[in-house]
Amino acid sequence: MADKRIMLVSGARPNFMKIAPLLRALDARPGFTTRLVHTGQHYDEDMARSFFRDLGMRPPDVDLEVGSASHGVQTGRIMILFDELLDREEADLVLVVGDVNSTIACALVAVKRGIPVAHVEAGLRSRDRAMPEEINRILTDSISDLLFTTEETAAPNLHAEGIPDSKIHFAGNVMVDTLFHHRAEAAKIALPDVPERFALVTLHRPSNVDDPVNLKRVVSILVQSARTIPLVFPVHPRTAAKLRETGLRETLESTPGVHLLPPSNYLTFVRLLLAAQVVLTDSGGIQEESTALGVPCITLRENTERPITVSEGTNEVCGLDEEKIAHVLAEAVQGRGKSGRVPKLWDGKAAERIVDELTIYFEERS
Ligand code: UD1
Protein backbone atom coordinates (compact mmCIF):
# COMPACT_ATOMS: atom_id res chain seq x y z
CA MET A 1 0.00 0.00 0.00
CA ALA A 2 1.36 3.45 -0.90
CA ASP A 3 2.01 5.82 1.97
CA LYS A 4 -1.03 7.81 3.03
CA ARG A 5 -0.45 11.53 2.75
CA ILE A 6 -1.63 13.33 5.85
CA MET A 7 -1.85 17.11 5.71
CA LEU A 8 -1.73 18.59 9.22
CA VAL A 9 -3.00 22.14 9.66
CA SER A 10 -1.75 24.59 12.26
CA GLY A 11 -3.12 28.11 12.50
CA ALA A 12 -2.84 29.82 15.84
CA ARG A 13 -0.80 29.49 19.02
CA PRO A 14 -2.85 26.79 20.80
CA ASN A 15 -2.63 24.55 17.72
CA PHE A 16 1.13 24.10 17.82
CA MET A 17 1.22 21.98 20.98
CA LYS A 18 -1.56 19.79 19.57
CA ILE A 19 0.11 19.24 16.20
CA ALA A 20 3.61 18.52 17.56
CA PRO A 21 2.90 15.05 19.06
CA LEU A 22 0.74 14.05 16.07
CA LEU A 23 3.49 14.95 13.64
CA ARG A 24 6.03 13.04 15.73
CA ALA A 25 3.80 9.96 15.99
CA LEU A 26 2.89 9.95 12.29
CA ASP A 27 6.49 10.42 11.16
CA ALA A 28 7.57 7.50 13.36
CA ARG A 29 4.93 5.15 11.92
CA PRO A 30 5.40 3.37 8.57
CA GLY A 31 2.65 3.94 6.04
CA PHE A 32 2.31 7.70 6.41
CA THR A 33 3.92 10.77 4.91
CA THR A 34 3.16 14.14 6.44
CA ARG A 35 2.85 17.72 5.21
CA LEU A 36 2.74 20.45 7.81
CA VAL A 37 0.68 23.39 6.59
CA HIS A 38 0.72 26.55 8.69
CA THR A 39 -1.97 29.02 7.71
CA GLY A 40 -0.13 31.95 9.28
CA GLN A 41 -3.13 33.01 11.39
CA HIS A 42 -0.48 33.59 14.03
CA TYR A 43 2.81 34.55 12.44
CA ASP A 44 5.29 36.39 14.61
CA GLU A 45 8.13 35.23 16.87
CA ASP A 46 6.14 35.41 20.11
CA MET A 47 2.90 33.88 18.84
CA ALA A 48 4.21 31.29 16.38
CA ARG A 49 7.88 30.89 15.49
CA SER A 50 9.24 30.36 19.02
CA PHE A 51 6.72 27.53 19.43
CA PHE A 52 8.04 25.52 16.49
CA ARG A 53 11.52 25.73 18.04
CA ASP A 54 10.44 24.95 21.62
CA LEU A 55 8.33 22.01 20.51
CA GLY A 56 11.07 20.57 18.31
CA MET A 57 8.84 20.76 15.24
CA ARG A 58 10.27 21.21 11.79
CA PRO A 59 9.37 24.57 10.21
CA PRO A 60 6.11 24.31 8.26
CA ASP A 61 6.39 22.67 4.83
CA VAL A 62 3.92 25.27 3.58
CA ASP A 63 3.13 28.67 5.12
CA LEU A 64 0.00 30.31 3.74
CA GLU A 65 0.96 33.60 5.46
CA VAL A 66 -2.63 34.69 5.89
CA GLY A 67 -2.02 37.07 8.83
CA SER A 68 -4.58 38.88 10.98
CA ALA A 69 -7.91 40.22 9.69
CA SER A 70 -11.59 40.17 10.64
CA HIS A 71 -12.99 36.68 11.16
CA GLY A 72 -14.77 36.60 7.81
CA VAL A 73 -11.82 37.90 5.83
CA GLN A 74 -9.33 35.69 7.63
CA THR A 75 -11.45 32.54 7.26
CA GLY A 76 -12.13 33.34 3.59
CA ARG A 77 -8.47 33.98 2.79
CA ILE A 78 -7.41 30.71 4.43
CA MET A 79 -10.04 28.87 2.39
CA ILE A 80 -8.85 30.34 -0.90
CA LEU A 81 -5.17 29.69 -0.18
CA PHE A 82 -5.77 26.17 1.15
CA ASP A 83 -7.95 25.29 -1.85
CA GLU A 84 -5.18 26.48 -4.18
CA LEU A 85 -2.68 24.39 -2.23
CA LEU A 86 -4.87 21.32 -2.73
CA ASP A 87 -4.83 22.03 -6.48
CA ARG A 88 -1.05 21.58 -6.33
CA GLU A 89 -0.67 18.88 -3.68
CA GLU A 90 -2.63 15.71 -3.06
CA ALA A 91 -3.76 14.66 0.40
CA ASP A 92 -5.42 11.44 1.56
CA LEU A 93 -6.59 13.08 4.77
CA VAL A 94 -6.57 16.57 6.27
CA LEU A 95 -6.07 16.69 10.02
CA VAL A 96 -7.24 19.78 11.90
CA VAL A 97 -7.05 20.52 15.62
CA GLY A 98 -8.87 22.73 18.10
CA ASP A 99 -11.35 25.47 17.33
CA VAL A 100 -9.63 28.38 15.61
CA ASN A 101 -10.60 29.94 12.28
CA SER A 102 -7.98 27.84 10.47
CA THR A 103 -9.66 24.68 11.79
CA ILE A 104 -13.04 25.31 10.15
CA ALA A 105 -11.56 26.98 7.05
CA CYS A 106 -9.34 24.03 6.11
CA ALA A 107 -11.89 21.38 7.14
CA LEU A 108 -14.51 22.98 4.90
CA VAL A 109 -12.20 23.20 1.89
CA ALA A 110 -11.06 19.59 2.28
CA VAL A 111 -14.52 18.11 2.70
CA LYS A 112 -15.83 19.94 -0.40
CA ARG A 113 -13.01 18.35 -2.38
CA GLY A 114 -13.95 14.90 -1.08
CA ILE A 115 -10.89 14.61 1.17
CA PRO A 116 -11.60 13.01 4.55
CA VAL A 117 -11.12 15.24 7.58
CA ALA A 118 -9.97 14.23 11.06
CA HIS A 119 -10.75 16.66 13.87
CA VAL A 120 -8.65 16.36 16.99
CA GLU A 121 -10.31 17.85 20.10
CA ALA A 122 -13.84 17.24 18.86
CA GLY A 123 -17.09 17.51 20.81
CA LEU A 124 -16.21 20.25 23.30
CA ARG A 125 -19.14 22.63 23.79
CA SER A 126 -19.43 25.79 25.89
CA ARG A 127 -23.04 26.27 24.69
CA ASP A 128 -22.14 29.92 24.19
CA ARG A 129 -22.59 30.76 20.53
CA ALA A 130 -21.26 34.27 21.07
CA MET A 131 -17.81 32.65 21.27
CA PRO A 132 -16.24 32.49 17.80
CA GLU A 133 -14.60 29.20 18.78
CA GLU A 134 -17.96 27.57 19.59
CA ILE A 135 -19.15 28.18 16.02
CA ASN A 136 -15.89 26.75 14.69
CA ARG A 137 -16.29 23.65 16.90
CA ILE A 138 -19.87 22.90 15.89
CA LEU A 139 -19.24 23.38 12.18
CA THR A 140 -15.97 21.45 12.09
CA ASP A 141 -17.45 18.50 13.97
CA SER A 142 -20.48 18.38 11.69
CA ILE A 143 -18.34 17.84 8.57
CA SER A 144 -15.47 15.71 9.92
CA ASP A 145 -15.11 12.00 9.16
CA LEU A 146 -13.06 11.09 12.22
CA LEU A 147 -13.70 12.86 15.50
CA PHE A 148 -11.09 12.42 18.23
CA THR A 149 -12.28 13.48 21.68
CA THR A 150 -10.32 14.51 24.77
CA GLU A 151 -12.88 13.83 27.47
CA GLU A 152 -15.89 11.58 27.91
CA THR A 153 -18.42 14.45 27.97
CA ALA A 154 -17.68 15.11 24.28
CA ALA A 155 -19.36 12.04 22.76
CA PRO A 156 -22.84 12.83 24.17
CA ASN A 157 -22.50 16.38 22.81
CA LEU A 158 -21.79 14.94 19.38
CA HIS A 159 -24.59 12.36 19.60
CA ALA A 160 -27.01 15.19 20.42
CA GLU A 161 -25.99 16.85 17.14
CA GLY A 162 -26.68 13.67 15.18
CA ILE A 163 -23.09 12.50 14.75
CA PRO A 164 -22.90 8.70 14.78
CA ASP A 165 -20.80 6.88 17.33
CA SER A 166 -18.86 5.14 14.55
CA LYS A 167 -17.06 8.43 13.77
CA ILE A 168 -16.16 9.22 17.39
CA HIS A 169 -12.95 8.01 19.04
CA PHE A 170 -12.03 8.83 22.63
CA ALA A 171 -8.29 9.35 22.26
CA GLY A 172 -7.27 11.55 25.19
CA ASN A 173 -5.55 14.90 25.17
CA VAL A 174 -2.73 15.67 22.72
CA MET A 175 -2.00 18.98 24.45
CA VAL A 176 -1.19 16.95 27.56
CA ASP A 177 1.09 14.72 25.44
CA THR A 178 3.14 17.83 24.73
CA LEU A 179 2.99 19.08 28.30
CA PHE A 180 4.31 15.80 29.71
CA HIS A 181 6.90 15.49 26.93
CA HIS A 182 8.42 18.89 27.83
CA ARG A 183 7.68 19.09 31.56
CA ALA A 184 11.10 17.99 32.82
CA GLU A 185 12.92 20.19 30.30
CA ALA A 186 10.78 23.20 31.26
CA ALA A 187 11.41 22.59 34.97
CA LYS A 188 15.14 23.07 34.37
CA ILE A 189 15.02 26.44 32.62
CA ALA A 190 15.40 29.71 34.51
CA LEU A 191 12.26 31.49 35.58
CA PRO A 192 11.83 35.03 34.27
CA ASP A 193 12.31 37.71 36.92
CA VAL A 194 9.15 37.04 38.96
CA PRO A 195 8.31 36.92 42.69
CA GLU A 196 8.76 33.63 44.53
CA ARG A 197 5.04 33.15 45.04
CA PHE A 198 2.67 34.39 42.37
CA ALA A 199 -0.56 33.84 40.47
CA LEU A 200 -0.19 33.38 36.72
CA VAL A 201 -2.68 35.37 34.63
CA THR A 202 -3.68 35.05 30.97
CA LEU A 203 -6.55 36.81 29.21
CA HIS A 204 -7.51 37.11 25.59
CA ARG A 205 -11.17 36.06 25.11
CA PRO A 206 -13.08 38.69 23.12
CA SER A 207 -15.82 38.77 25.78
CA ASN A 208 -13.28 39.84 28.42
CA VAL A 209 -10.94 42.09 26.49
CA ASP A 210 -12.79 43.51 23.47
CA ASP A 211 -15.70 44.92 25.48
CA PRO A 212 -14.32 47.96 27.38
CA VAL A 213 -16.88 47.56 30.20
CA ASN A 214 -15.85 43.95 30.84
CA LEU A 215 -12.16 44.80 30.43
CA LYS A 216 -12.54 47.43 33.15
CA ARG A 217 -14.14 44.82 35.41
CA VAL A 218 -11.36 42.36 34.65
CA VAL A 219 -8.70 44.95 35.45
CA SER A 220 -10.44 45.82 38.71
CA ILE A 221 -10.47 42.10 39.61
CA LEU A 222 -6.72 41.95 38.91
CA VAL A 223 -6.02 45.03 41.01
CA GLN A 224 -8.01 43.47 43.85
CA SER A 225 -6.30 40.07 43.43
CA ALA A 226 -2.82 41.64 43.52
CA ARG A 227 -3.50 42.52 47.17
CA THR A 228 -3.67 38.79 47.93
CA ILE A 229 -0.75 37.55 45.82
CA PRO A 230 1.55 39.08 43.18
CA LEU A 231 0.33 38.54 39.61
CA VAL A 232 2.51 37.51 36.68
CA PHE A 233 0.69 38.36 33.46
CA PRO A 234 2.16 37.56 30.01
CA VAL A 235 -0.05 39.78 27.85
CA HIS A 236 -1.55 38.47 24.59
CA PRO A 237 -1.10 40.98 21.73
CA ARG A 238 -4.82 41.67 21.32
CA THR A 239 -5.21 42.23 25.06
CA ALA A 240 -2.16 44.51 25.01
CA ALA A 241 -3.75 46.59 22.27
CA LYS A 242 -7.06 46.88 24.16
CA LEU A 243 -5.33 47.77 27.44
CA ARG A 244 -3.45 50.55 25.65
CA GLU A 245 -6.56 51.85 23.84
CA THR A 246 -8.56 52.08 27.06
CA GLY A 247 -5.75 53.52 29.21
CA LEU A 248 -6.09 50.51 31.52
CA ARG A 249 -2.50 49.44 30.98
CA GLU A 250 -1.41 52.38 33.13
CA THR A 251 -3.75 51.20 35.90
CA LEU A 252 -2.09 47.79 35.88
CA GLU A 253 1.43 49.18 35.56
CA SER A 254 0.91 51.40 38.58
CA THR A 255 -0.55 48.59 40.74
CA PRO A 256 2.01 47.12 43.15
CA GLY A 257 2.40 43.38 42.65
CA VAL A 258 1.33 43.32 38.98
CA HIS A 259 4.11 42.09 36.65
CA LEU A 260 3.30 42.49 32.95
CA LEU A 261 5.36 40.36 30.55
CA PRO A 262 5.36 39.92 26.77
CA PRO A 263 3.70 36.70 25.50
CA SER A 264 5.76 33.73 26.70
CA ASN A 265 7.34 31.08 24.58
CA TYR A 266 6.11 27.55 25.36
CA LEU A 267 8.83 26.34 27.71
CA THR A 268 8.86 29.54 29.72
CA PHE A 269 5.10 29.35 30.04
CA VAL A 270 5.24 25.77 31.34
CA ARG A 271 8.00 26.87 33.74
CA LEU A 272 5.69 29.62 35.02
CA LEU A 273 2.79 27.16 35.34
CA LEU A 274 4.93 24.76 37.37
CA ALA A 275 5.96 27.56 39.73
CA ALA A 276 2.57 29.29 40.09
CA GLN A 277 0.45 28.99 43.25
CA VAL A 278 -2.69 29.45 41.20
CA VAL A 279 -3.75 30.43 37.68
CA LEU A 280 -6.34 33.02 36.58
CA THR A 281 -7.26 32.55 32.94
CA ASP A 282 -9.89 32.64 30.21
CA SER A 283 -7.97 30.23 27.97
CA GLY A 284 -9.30 26.74 27.25
CA GLY A 285 -5.91 25.08 26.94
CA ILE A 286 -4.61 26.50 30.22
CA GLN A 287 -7.62 25.11 32.10
CA GLU A 288 -6.46 21.69 30.86
CA GLU A 289 -2.76 22.25 31.49
CA SER A 290 -3.36 23.39 35.07
CA THR A 291 -5.55 20.34 35.69
CA ALA A 292 -2.85 18.06 34.27
CA LEU A 293 -0.24 19.65 36.56
CA GLY A 294 -2.47 19.89 39.64
CA VAL A 295 -2.30 23.70 39.83
CA PRO A 296 -5.53 25.39 41.02
CA CYS A 297 -7.20 27.32 38.19
CA ILE A 298 -9.72 30.17 38.36
CA THR A 299 -11.51 30.53 35.04
CA LEU A 300 -12.64 34.08 34.32
CA ARG A 301 -15.53 32.98 32.10
CA GLU A 302 -19.18 32.12 32.66
CA ASN A 303 -18.77 28.65 31.18
CA THR A 304 -16.26 26.08 30.04
CA GLU A 305 -16.28 23.69 27.11
CA ARG A 306 -13.93 21.49 29.14
CA PRO A 307 -16.14 20.41 32.09
CA ILE A 308 -13.83 17.59 33.14
CA THR A 309 -11.36 20.20 34.37
CA VAL A 310 -14.06 21.19 36.89
CA SER A 311 -15.54 17.78 37.77
CA GLU A 312 -12.18 16.03 38.12
CA GLY A 313 -9.48 18.68 37.82
CA THR A 314 -8.40 21.86 39.56
CA ASN A 315 -10.63 24.31 37.72
CA GLU A 316 -13.31 26.60 39.19
CA VAL A 317 -15.41 28.61 36.75
CA CYS A 318 -15.91 32.00 38.41
CA GLY A 319 -17.02 34.36 35.64
CA LEU A 320 -16.27 37.94 36.67
CA ASP A 321 -17.76 37.45 40.15
CA GLU A 322 -15.41 39.47 42.38
CA GLU A 323 -16.44 37.77 45.62
CA LYS A 324 -16.15 34.25 44.30
CA ILE A 325 -12.77 34.97 42.72
CA ALA A 326 -11.46 36.56 45.93
CA HIS A 327 -12.60 33.51 47.92
CA VAL A 328 -11.16 30.87 45.57
CA LEU A 329 -7.93 32.85 45.25
CA ALA A 330 -7.51 33.17 49.02
CA GLU A 331 -8.08 29.41 49.46
CA ALA A 332 -5.48 28.61 46.79
CA VAL A 333 -2.93 31.02 48.24
CA GLN A 334 -3.34 29.36 51.65
CA GLY A 335 -2.68 25.96 50.07
CA ARG A 336 -6.32 24.87 50.19
CA GLY A 337 -6.98 25.08 46.43
CA LYS A 338 -8.53 22.25 44.44
CA SER A 339 -5.99 19.50 43.84
CA GLY A 340 -8.09 17.25 41.60
CA ARG A 341 -6.86 14.30 39.58
CA VAL A 342 -5.63 13.87 36.04
CA PRO A 343 -8.54 12.83 33.77
CA LYS A 344 -8.70 9.52 31.94
CA LEU A 345 -6.36 9.18 28.93
CA TRP A 346 -4.50 12.39 29.71
CA ASP A 347 -1.45 10.20 29.85
CA GLY A 348 0.92 11.44 27.16
CA LYS A 349 -0.15 8.79 24.63
CA ALA A 350 -3.13 10.39 22.87
CA ALA A 351 -1.28 10.98 19.59
CA GLU A 352 -0.28 7.30 19.45
CA ARG A 353 -3.92 6.28 19.85
CA ILE A 354 -4.96 8.69 17.11
CA VAL A 355 -2.38 7.25 14.72
CA ASP A 356 -3.62 3.72 15.61
CA GLU A 357 -7.14 4.78 14.58
CA LEU A 358 -5.92 6.41 11.38
CA THR A 359 -4.12 3.17 10.51
CA ILE A 360 -7.33 1.19 11.03
CA TYR A 361 -9.32 3.77 9.03
CA PHE A 362 -7.08 3.38 5.99
CA GLU A 363 -6.77 -0.42 6.34
CA GLU A 364 -10.58 -0.71 6.29
CA ARG A 365 -10.66 1.25 3.06
CA SER A 366 -7.77 -0.38 1.20
C1 UD1 B 1 -7.02 33.17 18.16
C2 UD1 B 1 -8.12 32.13 18.19
C3 UD1 B 1 -8.40 31.74 19.63
C4 UD1 B 1 -7.14 31.31 20.33
C5 UD1 B 1 -6.14 32.44 20.23
C6 UD1 B 1 -4.84 32.12 20.92
C7 UD1 B 1 -9.88 32.18 16.49
C8 UD1 B 1 -11.28 32.54 16.25
N1 UD1 B 1 -9.36 32.62 17.64
O1 UD1 B 1 -7.51 34.35 18.72
O2 UD1 B 1 -9.32 30.67 19.64
O3 UD1 B 1 -7.42 31.01 21.68
O4 UD1 B 1 -5.90 32.69 18.85
O5 UD1 B 1 -3.98 33.22 20.86
O6 UD1 B 1 -9.28 31.55 15.66
N2 UD1 B 1 -1.14 39.10 16.51
C9 UD1 B 1 0.20 39.28 16.69
N3 UD1 B 1 1.02 38.29 16.28
C10 UD1 B 1 0.57 37.16 15.73
C11 UD1 B 1 -0.81 36.97 15.56
C12 UD1 B 1 -1.66 37.97 15.97
O7 UD1 B 1 0.67 40.29 17.18
O8 UD1 B 1 1.38 36.30 15.39
C13 UD1 B 1 -2.04 40.16 16.96
C14 UD1 B 1 -2.78 40.79 15.83
O9 UD1 B 1 -2.63 42.17 15.93
C15 UD1 B 1 -4.22 40.40 16.03
C16 UD1 B 1 -4.25 39.93 17.46
O10 UD1 B 1 -2.95 39.58 17.84
O11 UD1 B 1 -5.09 41.46 15.83
C17 UD1 B 1 -5.13 38.72 17.70
O12 UD1 B 1 -4.99 37.75 16.75
P1 UD1 B 1 -6.28 37.03 16.14
O13 UD1 B 1 -5.88 36.38 14.89
O14 UD1 B 1 -7.45 37.94 16.18
O15 UD1 B 1 -6.55 35.85 17.09
P2 UD1 B 1 -6.64 35.70 18.64
O16 UD1 B 1 -7.42 36.72 19.31
O17 UD1 B 1 -5.26 35.48 19.13
Side-chain angles (χ1 to χ4, degrees), residues 99-100 123-141 157 161 205 301 303-305:
D99 54 18
V100 302
L124 297 179
R125 295 292 181 269
S126 67
R127 313 206 191 284
D128 174 4
R129 290 199 180 205
M131 269 183 98
E133 294 82 1
E134 182 76 351
I135 305 298
N136 294 341
R137 292 182 196 116
I138 295 167
L139 297 180
T140 305
D141 286 339
N157 291 338
E161 291 170 16
R205 289 263 93 79
R301 283 174 46 192
N303 51 54
T304 180
E305 61 287 336

Side-chain angles (χ1 to χ4, degrees), residues 34-179:
T34 56
R35 287 292 272 171
L36 175 56
V37 179
H38 180 47
T39 64
Q41 186 178 338
H42 285 174
Y43 45 86
D44 68 18
E45 171 67 20
D46 286 349
M47 298 299 285
R49 286 199 290 273
S50 74
F51 284 79
F52 284 86
R53 272 200 309 279
D54 275 9
L55 299 172
M57 269 202 282
R58 65 178 187 254
D61 301 309
V62 181
D63 188 342
L64 302 179
E65 295 182 359
V66 67
S68 301
S70 71
H71 286 256
V73 168
Q74 185 178 59
T75 308
R77 275 193 197 138
I78 297 169
M79 288 184 67
I80 293 169
L81 294 169
F82 192 60
D83 201 48
E84 288 171 358
L85 175 68
L86 290 173
D87 282 338
R88 301 191 297 274
E89 295 194 14
E90 282 181 46
D92 294 304
L93 182 132
V94 168
L95 186 152
V96 296
V97 297
D99 54 18
V100 302
N101 290 337
S102 303
T103 310
I104 177 59
C106 295
L108 187 51
V109 167
V111 86
K112 292 257 177 137
R113 297 179 72 109
I115 301 170
V117 173
H119 182 209
V120 173
E121 202 185 86
L124 297 179
R125 295 292 181 269
S126 67
R127 313 206 191 284
D128 174 4
R129 290 199 180 205
M131 269 183 98
E133 294 82 1
E134 182 76 351
I135 305 298
N136 294 341
R137 292 182 196 116
I138 295 167
L139 297 180
T140 305
D141 286 339
S142 72
I143 56 175
S144 293
D145 298 87
L146 290 138
L147 295 98
F148 293 106
T149 60
T150 51
E151 57 173 272
E152 283 171 300
T153 59
N157 291 338
L158 295 170
H159 296 154
E161 291 170 16
I163 294 168
D165 210 37
S166 55
K167 290 186 175 182
I168 305 169
H169 307 275
F170 177 36
N173 194 321
V174 283
M175 190 170 231
V176 173
D177 288 9
T178 292
L179 183 63

Side-chain angles (χ1 to χ4, degrees), residues 1 4 6 25-26 29-32 93 146 148 352-366:
M1 194 169 67
K4 294 298 174 192
I6 311 293
L26 282 164
R29 205 70 79 87
F32 295 106
L93 182 132
L146 290 138
F148 293 106
E352 291 297 333
R353 284 187 285 270
I354 289 169
V355 178
D356 290 344
E357 284 302 335
L358 293 177
T359 306
I360 295 169
Y361 176 83
F362 285 115
E363 275 170 6
E364 283 175 356
R365 280 156 188 79
S366 66

